[in-house]
Amino acid sequence: MPPASTRRWSRVARTPLALVAIALLVVVAALAVLGPVLWGADAEAVDTGNILAGPSARHWAGTDNLGRDIAARVLVASRLSVVLALLAVAIAVVVGLLLGTAPFLLGRGRAGRLVTAAVNIAVAFPGMLLALFFAVVFGVGATGAVMAIGLAGAPGFARLVQTLVSGVAARDFVAAARVAGVGRGRILVRHVLPNIAEPLVVNATIGAGTALLSFAGLSFLGLGVQSPSFDWGRLLYDGASALYLNPAAALVPGAAVLLAGLAFNLVGESVAKGLGVEGLGIEGLGVPVGSGRWVLPGRTAAPGPAHAAADAPDPADDVVLGVRDLAVSFRGPSGPVRPVRGVSFDVHRGESVGIVGESGCGKSLTALAVTRLLDDDARLEASRLHLLGTDLRAPQATADRRKLGTELAVVFQDPMTSLNPARRIGAQLAEVATHHQGMTRREAAARAVDRLDAVRIPDPGERARQYPHEFSGGMRQRAMIGMGLMGTPALIVADEPTTALDVTVQRQVLDLLSAVRDSDAVALLLISHDVAVVGEVCDRVLVMYAGRIVEDLPAAELATARHPYTRALVDAVPDMDTDLDEPLATIPGRPVDPADVPAGCAYAARCPLADARCRAQDPALVSDPHAPARRVACWHAGEPLPAERAVDLLVESP
Amino acid sequence: MTELRFADVTVRYGRTTAVDGVSLLVPSGEIVGLVGESGSGKSTLARAAVGLAPLGGGRITMDGEPVPLRGRHRPLQMVFQDPYSSLDPRRTVGDSVAEAMPPGGSRAERRVEVQRLLELVHLDPARADAVPSRLSGGQRQRVALARALAARPRAVIADEITSALDVSVQGAVLNLVRELRRELGLSILFISHNLAVVRYVASRVVVLRGGRVVEQGPTAEVLTEPRHDYTRELLAAVPGRGARRSRT
């Protein structure tokens, strides 16, 4: 198991919840093992002179109708109660696994569908009803009760297994195994079950608690364990008949059921916490990106690294977005992680600025920071963060929020998740106008149709009444841009707006963004990992690496970039003129992990020009003396790269 | 060597026809680029060839024989788009690669073969014991390539294998694809929507639209003198090719 998950387990194990769960489970297990050994004799000792007595010094929970000590009987009953519950869970798990994996093994044929349908029907019956039904079928007694509760739990478990299996079965690694000729049974054992084991374990643990309660219920109804055997439910049943004489006779077994049930459930909860989302086979713990509301930092922003801002131009009047020393940090397992480490730039009216860099360089977080869409757990610092004259660091007045709502437009990578699938497109666009601009619904609806037309959606009147799923990916993205145009935006922030789209659709969306910008003098902040896209649409390009801007240059001059990272990015992308006889340029090594940024220049480890100074001192972003519009952070800016690196086949590339 | 031929292939899902009478040839030891927009049937065609989609009509053959879709011998392999989904997160890189190897051989022999395959895709053989989460996207895609090669295929289908990767590592994967063709003589069907990428790796190109082939021919010819409007549209869409926008 990788160390990260070990760390998470030890963290979870130290929480109060887990400590209580473990303590309870140890007690229950110890009682189940030792109870009959230690108190077996006491529990059977008949004392006819002391029948149905209340609590006393000798019998602190009183005695039953044969004068046997109730406390001892409760302790002894732990073994039978726990064993029966575990047997029932085992039956539920085995039958559930068989039924749940059958559709996968049987394939898409009729047999598979039949099993699925049968399970779906069985799930519809309440578990206790099934248990009562099976209890009658299998006869009254412990065996019948185990079968009944086990089988009653099976459909629910089968349904869970089915859902989890079909989730994993849809993934490419299962397809790859099939292409390699691996049989379905082997795929199930090797690839599917290990990836769904954890949620199943959690469920089985919690199921044990439920089974325990069900047994108590069945025995209480007289359908469970029969004399002379006894479990907690049976004791509860016996005690309830003498409830007014000796309440303890019912309360003590009840408390035992409660404690044991709690033990199983809390263990299940703790296991679930320890597994996190990883249990579902989803990659966990990426850099958090989302659209939660941004909580303002508690204290005023501290000035960032002094050198970062030193050379940034003064904010001028036509600045739409002014950013100085922007830093974004998250709480990490070992101290704060800062994916954005001091970013300064301006976007002027009508200007289009691109931010490029590899995954994890902080470009999207920068975009989220300026649109106030960072997650709640992100901490933002900046010495200046002005959007359209509003200080984003201060709490916003309603008027300011309204102004931002109409003057700032945001376009995300995946338009399917940024549009509400349950509302018509037109209504979603109109909402912007009724909410921020105070239009009537009729005016807003007309404006929505007009805007859909402006983003070149054919037949906009008809389309406005459709839902997002009826739009193609490109049209959804255009509708998102249309939504931004409901107001009169001064800035559009687009985060990888075309990454999920085909080239032809990408072209349409890029053309649309350019057209909007040209006609209305709207500024554009375009985030992309593709230098070619940014180079085509933008006036100016900011190249980010490890949370810093390493170069700021006019897009037209990308071919003469001076930072070795920018040069490598430009060279790595094949275009229609790439020399077919040469291998493509690659960037060796991996991007910097935000949790572990090296001293000195962050790019040094991958840079062919790096020397001792680069590894010791981080270069500041300074203006080029010959071309003040260009800034670069490199000790060796513009130096010729060493002669074509020999293609060493043993060197591991990214 | 091996030629991979699709003859009049049709794939239907319910009432929709995803692939409609497609015929194309991947000549022995060559890379053929298959381009088209989402929904044009590119991936469906690939999945039908390896048995992941039902073949509604036509034939898919290797050297005249139908592609075997049962048993452990699978001479046609596929590499998937998303290396974050195509490797089992619970299994080591070595296990994933070894699983695709033909049965037989001692444990030690299989281990040596895994190391050879990892070296072939320029990964450190010591990586065999790593789980995928320790690898970058580009490294995972190399593992996926090594797994495909482990089955000793005579032909490989690469389905958008660089589109989930950062452009900075795309180049390394493309170099590898070209090298594998050159050194192993593999026939490769290379699916992509990026014409600049296809131009770089493929000697022939097939343009698919709406499940039908609209144009095919040698890459240089199709990309310099496209005959179909849709091909021209695709060419105009390549980033960096459009006329630069007017500026204020």
Side-chain angles (χ1 to χ4, degrees):
Chain A
M1 206 174 257
S5 66
T6 315
R7 271 205 307 276
R8 195 170 58 239
W9 275 111
S10 63
R11 207 167 51 239
V12 169
R14 281 195 295 270
T15 59
L17 177 81
L19 289 176
V20 171
I22 293 168
L24 280 176
L25 193 71
V26 167
V27 170
V28 171
L31 280 180
V33 173
L34 299 176
V37 181
L38 294 180
W39 298 288
D42 293 343
E44 298 296 343
V46 175
D47 179 1
T48 42
N50 205 3
I51 289 172
L52 292 177
S56 63
R58 254 190 81 209
H59 308 289
W60 62 266
T63 58
D64 68 1
N65 52 3
L66 289 176
R68 294 174 294 200
D69 183 67
I70 286 175
R73 287 176 75 76
V74 168
L75 293 172
V76 171
S78 350
R79 180 183 286 179
L80 186 62
S81 303
V82 169
V83 165
L84 289 180
L86 292 181
L87 278 177
V89 168
I91 290 175
V93 168
V94 170
V95 176
L97 273 177
L98 289 177
L99 288 177
T101 56
F104 177 78
L105 291 174
L106 295 172
R108 269 189 288 236
R110 184 172 294 174
R113 285 206 302 271
L114 212 65
V115 174
T116 311
V119 167
N120 287 343
I121 291 171
V123 167
F125 287 97
M128 204 60 197
L129 189 71
L130 282 180
L132 286 173
F133 170 72
F134 285 123
V136 173
V137 171
F138 292 113
V140 171
T143 323
V146 165
M147 296 294 285
I149 291 171
L151 290 178
F157 205 76
R159 192 71 185 79
L160 177 74
V161 172
Q162 236 173 49
T163 311
L164 293 171
V165 165
S166 63
V168 174
R171 298 191 55 181
D172 284 343
F173 61 80
V174 170
R178 284 178 60 192
V179 171
V182 182
R184 279 181 179 271
R186 196 167 282 191
I187 290 178
L188 183 71
V189 172
R190 244 189 229 170
H191 294 294
V192 179
L193 289 182
N195 279 296
I196 64 171
E198 287 151 355
L200 296 188
V201 169
V202 172
N203 233 269
T205 323
I206 293 175
T210 317
L212 200 75
L213 286 178
S214 307
F215 267 106
L218 275 190
S219 294
F220 184 73
L221 293 172
L223 294 172
V225 174
Q226 302 298 316
S227 296
S229 301
F230 55 98
D231 69 343
W232 287 330
R234 181 77 207 174
L235 294 177
L236 202 58
Y237 175 67
D238 294 340
S241 58
L243 192 64
Y244 295 107
L245 294 174
N246 177 17
L251 289 179
V252 173
V257 171
L258 187 78
L259 279 180
L262 209 58
F264 284 125
N265 282 349
L266 291 184
V267 166
E269 288 287 325
S270 308
V271 172
K273 280 228 174 86
L275 299 170
V277 287
E278 229 179 34
L280 296 169
I282 298 162
E283 291 288 321
L285 301 172
V287 175
V289 174
S291 52
R293 261 199 57 71
W294 177 34
V295 173
L296 287 152
R299 63 192 173 96
T300 31
H307 68 258
D311 216 62
D314 280 333
D317 282 345
D318 68 338
V319 169
V320 175
L321 174 67
V323 180
R324 290 293 173 279
D325 304 322
L326 173 72
V328 178
S329 52
F330 293 93
R331 221 176 309 152
S334 46
V337 176
R338 293 215 306 166
V340 179
R341 309 180 295 140
V343 164
S344 301
F345 63 93
D346 289 326
V347 178
H348 299 263
R349 198 160 284 282
E351 186 187 30
S352 86
V353 175
I355 304 185
V356 292
E358 288 165 279
S359 314
C361 71
K363 54 189 192 303
S364 285
L365 284 172
T366 303
L368 290 172
V370 302
T371 50
R372 317 190 322 134
L373 290 171
L374 282 174
D375 269 353
D376 285 356
D377 58 343
R379 188 185 157 77
L380 181 143
E381 292 167 75
S383 61
R384 178 186 167 85
L385 190 56
H386 275 216
L387 180 60
L388 311 161
T390 308
D391 189 348
L392 289 181
R393 294 172 304 156
Q396 250 96 63
T398 315
D400 282 339
R401 271 209 301 276
R402 183 154 295 162
K403 186 173 147 207
L404 288 178
T406 58
E407 297 196 351
L408 168 69
V410 187
V411 182
F412 291 108
Q413 175 169 344
D414 184 357
M416 195 64 217
T417 55
S418 39
L419 288 168
N420 181 344
R423 297 195 64 196
R424 295 174 202 276
I425 298 272
Q428 296 193 48
L429 263 67
E431 186 181 49
V432 179
T434 49
H435 190 74
H436 291 298
Q437 292 157 292
M439 283 191 189
T440 64
R441 286 176 64 178
R442 186 181 297 267
E443 284 167 351
R447 172 110 178 130
V449 172
D450 175 64
R451 294 292 87 186
L452 287 176
D453 189 39
V455 294
R456 303 174 200 162
I457 285 181
D459 201 2
E462 191 63 35
R463 287 289 186 172
R465 283 193 290 277
Q466 291 186 332
Y467 290 95
H469 72 265
E470 296 174 88
F471 276 44
S472 69
M475 281 211 291
R476 280 197 288 264
Q477 203 57 295
R478 278 183 272 164
M480 272 307 288
I481 296 172
M483 190 185 285
L485 297 180
M486 286 299 285
T488 45
L491 175 67
I492 298 176
V493 176
D495 186 4
E496 302 271 11
T498 61
T499 304
L501 305 175
D502 274 320
V503 268
T504 42
V505 186
Q506 162 171 299
R507 159 69 53 204
Q508 294 162 8
V509 170
L510 294 180
D511 283 353
L512 175 63
L513 284 173
S514 299
V516 167
R517 192 171 77 80
D518 287 348
S519 59
D520 304 325
V522 182
L524 174 68
L525 184 64
L526 176 71
I527 318 295
S528 176
H529 68 280
D530 191 340
V531 180
V533 166
V534 165
E536 186 177 317
V537 177
C538 296
D539 304 320
R540 200 149 61 84
V541 179
L542 307 172
V543 182
M544 277 188 78
Y545 188 78
R548 289 256 170 92
I549 295 176
V550 296
E551 186 157 16
D552 169 0
L553 76 169
E557 295 171 26
L558 268 171
T560 59
R562 302 177 69 229
H563 197 286
Y565 179 62
T566 317
R567 289 148 83 181
L569 273 185
V570 172
D571 287 345
V573 186
D575 59 25
M576 299 306 277
D577 306 312
T578 304
D579 185 349
L580 297 179
D581 298 323
E582 292 291 325
L584 287 172
T586 57
I587 308 176
R590 299 177 66 164
V592 169
D593 179 353
D596 184 23
V597 180
C601 173
Y603 185 60
R606 305 170 78 184
C607 180
L609 296 174
D611 57 19
R613 185 187 189 190
C614 299
R615 289 181 198 97
Q617 290 175 292
D618 198 1
L621 184 64
V622 291
S623 289
D624 185 337
H626 308 294
R630 295 175 63 151
R631 297 184 294 162
V632 65
C634 179
W635 297 122
H636 301 286
E639 287 179 17
L641 296 172
E644 205 52 50
R645 274 167 290 149
V647 183
D648 181 351
L649 295 187
L650 284 174
V651 170
E652 191 169 332
S653 24
Chain B
M1 291 295 290
T2 300
E3 61 168 40
L4 175 65
R5 185 185 290 275
F6 294 74
D8 202 22
V9 170
T10 299
V11 181
R12 289 190 197 88
Y13 287 117
R15 268 177 295 174
T16 29
T17 304
V19 176
D20 190 4
V22 168
S23 296
L24 68 91
L25 173 71
V26 184
S28 180
E30 285 196 38
I31 301 181
V32 171
L34 182 60
V35 299
E37 62 200 348
S38 322
S40 62
K42 308 186 298 274
S43 290
T44 306
L45 189 69
R47 295 177 79 86
V50 291
L52 294 174
L55 194 59
R59 278 161 60 82
I60 304 172
T61 56
M62 294 176 78
D63 293 333
E65 299 291 317
V67 176
L69 297 179
R70 291 187 170 277
R72 285 307 309 254
H73 182 59
R74 303 288 182 99
L76 177 61
Q77 282 295 311
M78 176 158 163
V79 182
F80 295 82
Q81 173 172 0
D82 182 3
Y84 290 85
S85 162
S86 69
L87 295 175
D88 187 338
R90 299 306 164 102
R91 296 174 68 81
T92 65
V93 163
D95 286 345
S96 286
V97 173
E99 179 177 69
M101 285 169 16
S106 68
R107 186 179 288 260
E109 279 167 5
R110 292 173 78 83
R111 188 155 180 86
V112 169
E113 174 69 1
V114 166
Q115 302 202 328
R116 186 188 73 83
L117 288 163
L118 291 180
E119 273 175 30
L120 195 63
V121 297
H122 307 314
L123 280 173
D124 181 354
R127 293 277 189 182
D129 298 321
V131 286
S133 61
R134 313 300 294 171
L135 304 183
S136 70
Q139 288 171 336
R140 290 178 200 217
Q141 201 57 292
R142 287 151 190 276
V143 173
L145 272 163
R147 174 178 55 193
L149 296 176
R152 302 189 174 278
R154 288 177 289 151
V156 169
I157 298 178
D159 187 6
E160 298 270 13
I161 59 170
T162 61
S163 58
L165 305 178
D166 256 319
V167 283
S168 55
V169 294
Q170 166 180 285
V173 173
L174 293 179
N175 287 342
L176 179 61
V177 167
R178 293 198 346 160
E179 191 186 307
L180 292 175
R181 181 203 68 84
R182 205 167 50 234
E183 291 179 4
L184 307 179
L186 281 177
S187 315
I188 300 176
L189 181 63
F190 189 92
I191 301 176
S192 176
H193 63 253
N194 185 334
L195 282 185
V197 166
V198 167
R199 172 183 171 275
Y200 186 69
V201 297
S203 55
R204 294 178 60 82
V205 62
V206 177
V207 184
L208 209 59
R209 185 178 207 192
R212 292 168 183 271
V213 174
V214 297
E215 180 161 6
Q216 58 178 315
T219 310
E221 224 169 82
V222 173
L223 299 191
T224 48
E225 295 162 33
R227 269 175 287 169
H228 196 279
D229 285 345
Y230 180 62
T231 316
R232 276 191 276 270
E233 208 180 301
L234 277 179
L235 272 168
V238 176
R241 294 258 300 178
R244 291 187 63 83
R245 311 291 121 195
S246 61
R247 302 197 182 274
T248 42

